[in-house]
Structure formats: structure tokens, C-alpha cells
Amino acid sequence: MSAASPDGAWRPSELELGRRAFRRRQTWRSVLVSALSTLVFAGLLAWAVLGSPGWARVAETFFDPEVAIASLPRIAEGLLLNLQVLVFAAVGVLLVAITLATLRTLRGPVFFPLRAIAAGYTDLFRGVPLLIVLYLVGYGVPALEFFPRLPVAVWGTIAIVLVYSAYVAEVFRAGIEAVHPSQRLAARSLGLSHAQTMRRVVLPQAIRKVTPALMNDFVAMQKDVGLISVLGAVDAVRAAQIETAHYFNFTPYVVAGLLFVLLALPMVRLTDWVTARMRRREQIGSIV
Amino acid sequence: MSRAADGAQPPAGAAGEREPVLALSGVRRAYGEHVVLDGVDLEVRAHEVVALIGASGSGKSTLLRTANLLEPIDDGVIRLAGRDISDPRVDADAVRARIGAVFQHYNLFPHLSVLDNVTLASRLVHRTPKAEAERRGQELLASIGLADFARAYPDRLSGGQQQRVAIVRAIATGPELLLLDEVTSALDPELVGEVLALVRSLADGGTTILMATHEMAFARDVADRVVFLDGGRIVEQGPSRQFFAAPREERTRAFLARVLPG
């Protein structure tokens, strides 16, 4: 069947070579078809947009290159503030969320108040719109005159941490519950305490399971940091607003939007890569 | 090259009794340098029960998986009722719909009831009306004594019960060939018997079976033919009693000496 060559090495048969050639042709055909359909689709889209009656005015007010270049430095400067808020918020969210998720897993009647607080917290902050939390924290808490005067960006960061922790805590909790109970049994049978079991056995597996979901939440947070502009912090969105008022042209908003996309892209790609890698690792040898 | 080169495809239906249900010729599968199947030729005729034996890693499971196209092959031809199913133009789903398969770890769907597990393929793939599929499913479950568990979830069943449901699920659509991949390997010893009894009754009923197994006594009693795989090649095959009574090859004797007690 598969003729062995004189040197004893295996050589594919004529039939197999034919099948390979067929598969290669199929691959080329798929590439061609996808390229063609992309071209047609893009062409139709361009025709619909560029051919619309108001396109000239829209291009002028939203896509003015001169305004874009002139407003870019200030918006980029604002984006630096977004980045700072993002870094602090991400760290804060991770800490608070892991604490909340762990509290919810505590067993025993003594811990009821902690469990209840954690549960109430996630219920409350997943329900309240981020914008309202921003107003309450940004204007309400300073009005208590209990804290020294802090920049509004700090209050904005705290509001984002409050809301996102509630979501991320639920992601962690789902991950903790997805670790098979037999893992807990095995750890406890070795004499590990509940806390040791959580920290050394359950959480490491849980975090691995929910990494793609967490990264997705991080991408969502990357753009939601733009909402601190409502408190008056001069971030990228606020800067774009100011520039828009100055030039009487909406292009700065488009510029800010593009900058946020650029900020998110590396993380989006990284999320895809991590997800694909985990799938390859855990579902080895599957072709269907 | 002889079989592959002729390229003649007998029209469907004309296969008749003469064509083997499954015919592998020169099947090769390699993972990089590691050759798992090294030119395997094997035929399974209608109503025949063929047992694949061999050490772990000898290629038994891979061979079974190539047969229902769950594993791509690197060379050779696989024919189902005379038709080349290793051709890339073949609709793999349609081929798999004609072959039943049971795995070592049952692989029942935990989110579906026992009855839904059994009727899923009938309803989705074969478009059998729900009432008819369920009637047939209930019959099958009753035949293995699990009628009372129809609405229960697989989780509630013992390993032996789950594996019997998995077997019934595989035959519910009336496949032409049943592939069994070490179906008792994950079971407690006292549960092995009930699963083997079911396989035996299917064999007696004329089901065409290709099974990988570690149960030598079962292979001897139930299989018509035993095939010994080693290093991805068929070392020896023959009628089961003769095979176990008088193995010809040295490697077969060495393997049997390791796995047979006494």
C-alpha cells in the first residue's frame, strides 16, 4: 500500500498525495472565496456610506484631518490619566474581588455576616449603574468633609473599583465553583485546612479557568475609565469634549475613540491568544 | 498500491453481502516521528465480532477512532460497506451517523436525562419524530432493565449502568457497525459483568462489532476473530479459540503470557 522506499523510510502513496493535493486546493479555494467576499462586502459598505446624501457634511464634522492632528496632543495627554486610573483600578479590583469571592465561600455559621455582606455587596453594585456610583462617590463622599481634598480622578477610581469588583468577584466565584469537588476532598484528605485548600489548590485552578473572562472584564474596564470625565477630571474623553467645543467640530471624539481602541487592541489580542492556548492545552487530540 | 489504485467505487447498495462492512488497507497514522498505525490492513464482515487486543499504546484506540473519522489518517484507505470514507470529499458526519461508538469513560451528556441521551441522535441526526424516538428509547432502556431511570440524569447511575446506557445510545439509530473502545476498563470489577453481558447479547443478535478490549476471556468467548496489534502493526489474527489456544507468533505468546493468569 504505502510503498517503502529503498532506504526503508515511509513515502506517502499516490492516493495520499492525491488527497493532500485535493486538501491544498480546497484551502486555496477557501482563501480565494473569503478574499472575494470580503472585497464585495467592503465595496457595498463603502458605496452605502460614501453615497449617502449627507456624507459630505459628516466627513467634514467628524473626520476633519486638520482638527484631528491639532487636538491629538491634548487628548493623548488626557489618555495618560485614563491609563493611571486603569492601572490602579485593575489592582484594586483584583484585590477586592478575590476577597469578596473568598468570603462567599466561607463555611460555618460564624461567618454568616461576612457571607451576607459579600453577597449583598455584589448584588448592590452589579445593579447600580456605574454612572450613578460615580456621581455618588465623586460628589457625595467628599461632601462628608471627612476625607482631605483629593483629586476627582481618585474618587473616580474608587467608584470603578467598587462596581467592577462586584462583577469580577462573581467571575472568581464561578471559577471556584467550577473546580471539581474531588479536588477539595483530595486536599482536605491530605490534612490541608480550608484556607490552605483554597489558597494552594482551589484558587490556582479557579484563576486558570476564568482567565479569559477576567481579561474580557479588563477590556471592558479600559473604556469605562473614560466615564470619570463626568466628574470633571480632564481625561481623554473630557479633553475631546473641550477640543470639540473649541473647534466646533466632532472630530476630537473620533480621535479619542480611536485612541481607546488602540489601547484595548493589545489586550483583546492577548485574550484571544490565551483562550486559544488554553483550548489547545485542555482539549488535546480533538478534530471534531 | 493495488486496492487504492483501482479507484473503482461500487455504487451504494450494490455492496451487498460480499463487501466487508469495514475494510482498512495500509492505514497509517503518525504523530510527528511516532508512528501509531503502521500500514494496518483489517476487514470486518457483516455480523462479525472482531476483538482488538494489544498493550497500551499499541494503536487499538487510534485504529477505532480512524474508523469513524475521529482521527485523520496519513495514508491508506478506509472503506465502509465498500465506499472509500477516507476521501476528503466524503461527508464525515454522514459516515459517523452510520457507525456507533462507545468510549471507555461512557461520555454520557450530564445535562440530558438518560432517555434524552439515548434519543438525541435519532431526533437530531435521523429526524425521527420525538414520540417515535422516545418509544424506541424506552424499549431499549427496558431491554437493559433501566426503564425506571429514563427521566433520571446520568449522574444518578452506577458506572455499569452508565456504560450500558452509552451502548444503548450508540445502537439506538441502528448503526451498521459498532465500535467499542475498552468499554469495561473504567469499571469496578463487579460491574464489568453486566456490560459484557449486554455486548454479548448484541453480538448474539448479529450486530457487527469491532472492539478494543483487555478482557481476554471475553474476547475468546464472544469474538469470532481476534486481532493482535503491536507497535502499530497487526502481528497476528485468527479465529478466537484457535488464536488463544495456539498463537503462532513469538510476540503474541509473550503478550498473552503477560496478560493471562497462570
Side-chain angles (χ1 to χ4, degrees):
Chain A
M1 176 69 237
S2 50
S5 58
D7 56 0
W10 170 78
R11 295 273 160 75
S13 65
E14 292 293 317
L15 178 79
E16 174 61 22
L17 291 175
R19 287 197 292 235
R20 284 181 195 175
F22 175 76
R23 287 196 194 98
R24 264 197 306 277
R25 284 198 300 275
Q26 287 294 98
T27 311
W28 275 110
R29 236 183 61 181
S30 310
V31 171
L32 269 176
V33 168
S34 66
L36 203 70
S37 94
T38 308
L39 270 178
V40 169
F41 187 76
L44 280 176
L45 197 67
W47 175 76
V49 172
L50 300 179
S52 62
W55 170 244
R57 266 181 49 208
V58 168
E60 201 177 301
T61 43
F62 284 88
F63 302 103
D64 186 331
E66 276 172 35
V67 175
I69 290 164
S71 62
L72 184 62
R74 298 220 169 150
I75 297 173
E77 202 179 311
L79 196 70
L80 273 182
L81 179 64
N82 289 113
L83 268 173
Q84 285 169 14
V85 171
L86 180 66
V87 170
F88 283 105
V91 174
V93 165
L94 274 183
L95 292 178
V96 178
I98 290 195
T99 311
L100 282 170
T102 316
L103 286 182
R104 291 198 73 172
T105 65
L106 289 180
R107 306 266 183 272
V110 159
F111 296 116
F112 176 76
L114 288 179
R115 278 202 302 272
I117 288 172
Y121 178 94
T122 50
D123 286 0
L124 179 68
F125 280 103
R126 280 186 304 159
V128 189
L130 175 57
L131 205 52
I132 289 174
V133 177
L134 273 166
Y135 282 133
L136 291 180
V137 173
Y139 297 141
V141 178
L144 293 173
E145 300 189 340
F146 188 73
F147 300 97
R149 288 186 68 83
L150 292 168
V152 280
V154 173
W155 294 115
T157 309
I158 291 172
I160 288 170
V161 170
L162 284 175
V163 170
Y164 267 87
S165 299
Y167 283 106
V168 174
E170 284 303 291
V171 172
F172 275 125
R173 193 167 72 103
I176 289 170
E177 282 170 6
V179 175
H180 200 268
S182 60
Q183 289 292 305
R184 232 159 292 179
L185 290 183
R188 298 307 289 272
S189 76
L190 290 170
L192 272 67
S193 69
H194 175 86
Q196 288 170 324
T197 303
M198 279 301 289
R199 209 163 60 81
R200 307 298 290 267
V201 177
V202 177
L203 275 179
Q205 296 184 52
I207 290 172
R208 228 158 282 174
K209 278 179 203 289
V210 298
T211 302
L214 286 179
M215 293 170 98
N216 187 41
D217 277 343
F218 183 76
V219 172
M221 200 169 81
Q222 264 180 345
K223 60 185 169 20
D224 276 0
V225 293
L227 286 173
I228 60 167
S229 59
V230 299
L231 297 179
V234 186
D235 73 331
V237 177
R238 184 72 177 176
Q241 197 177 9
I242 294 167
E243 297 298 298
T244 294
H246 182 257
Y247 292 107
F248 204 63
N249 187 300
F250 286 115
T251 307
Y253 279 129
V254 176
V255 172
L258 283 176
L259 287 181
F260 272 103
V261 172
L262 287 180
L263 185 64
L265 267 184
M267 202 62 191
V268 170
R269 287 277 74 81
L270 187 65
T271 310
D272 284 358
W273 181 76
V274 169
T275 315
R277 200 182 60 145
M278 283 175 73
R279 200 173 46 228
R280 274 202 306 278
R281 216 189 257 175
E282 286 170 19
Q283 303 178 357
I284 200 152
S286 172
I287 61 157
V288 281
Chain B
M1 255 345 286
S2 57
R3 285 188 67 87
D6 63 27
Q9 299 266 331
E17 261 51 69
R18 295 174 306 279
E19 282 290 350
V21 174
L22 181 74
L24 282 70
S25 61
V27 169
R28 177 190 166 90
R29 176 64 178 153
Y31 299 115
E33 291 290 295
H34 178 56
V35 181
V36 187
L37 295 177
D38 191 4
V40 171
D41 301 288
L42 178 68
E43 289 191 353
V44 182
R45 304 200 155 265
H47 312 303
E48 197 180 21
V49 176
V50 176
L52 291 171
I53 63 169
S56 298
S58 58
K60 302 189 297 290
S61 293
T62 308
L63 193 150
L64 288 177
R65 281 157 46 136
T66 61
N68 64 349
L69 309 182
L70 288 175
E71 181 85 37
I73 59 173
D74 298 320
D75 208 341
V77 183
I78 302 171
R79 288 173 198 276
L80 183 66
R83 186 158 168 259
D84 180 359
I85 57 169
S86 44
D87 190 302
R89 274 161 288 223
V90 161
D91 177 3
D93 288 341
V95 169
R96 294 188 195 115
R98 295 163 58 192
I99 302 177
V102 183
F103 307 92
Q104 189 175 341
H105 295 283
Y106 339 135
N107 299 12
L108 293 180
F109 305 120
H111 63 296
L112 298 178
S113 72
V114 166
L115 185 62
D116 286 342
N117 262 283
V118 174
T119 59
L120 187 72
S122 304
R123 289 185 282 122
L124 291 189
V125 182
H126 298 264
R127 303 277 168 209
T128 312
K130 187 174 163 134
E132 195 187 323
E134 298 208 332
R135 190 185 49 73
R136 169 94 180 117
Q138 290 282 13
E139 271 175 29
L140 284 166
L141 287 175
S143 74
I144 58 169
L146 292 178
D148 293 342
F149 288 96
R151 296 287 165 205
Y153 286 83
D155 198 33
R156 295 272 317 277
L157 275 55
S158 73
Q161 289 171 330
Q162 290 194 41
Q163 190 60 296
R164 286 187 290 139
V165 171
I167 293 173
V168 161
R169 176 175 72 175
I171 60 165
T173 54
E176 296 158 47
L177 170 69
L178 185 59
L179 305 172
L180 306 177
D181 189 3
E182 295 184 18
V183 291
T184 57
S185 293
L187 293 174
D188 291 338
E190 80 268 23
L191 301 176
V192 169
E194 61 186 78
V195 172
L196 292 185
L198 174 58
V199 176
R200 185 188 300 258
S201 77
L202 292 177
D204 291 343
T207 308
T208 310
I209 297 175
L210 178 60
M211 60 180 179
T213 185
H214 288 305
E215 301 281 338
M216 295 303 149
F218 183 71
R220 184 182 57 213
D221 295 345
V222 174
D224 300 305
R225 188 149 50 90
V226 176
V227 175
F228 173 56
L229 274 175
D230 190 34
R233 290 169 181 269
I234 293 179
V235 174
E236 180 171 355
Q237 58 175 313
S240 49
R241 288 187 182 279
Q242 190 184 319
F243 178 92
F244 284 104
R248 293 187 306 273
E249 299 288 329
E250 185 48 45
R251 273 191 288 173
T252 318
R253 281 198 285 272
F255 173 74
L256 291 177
R258 278 203 307 277
V259 297
L260 289 177

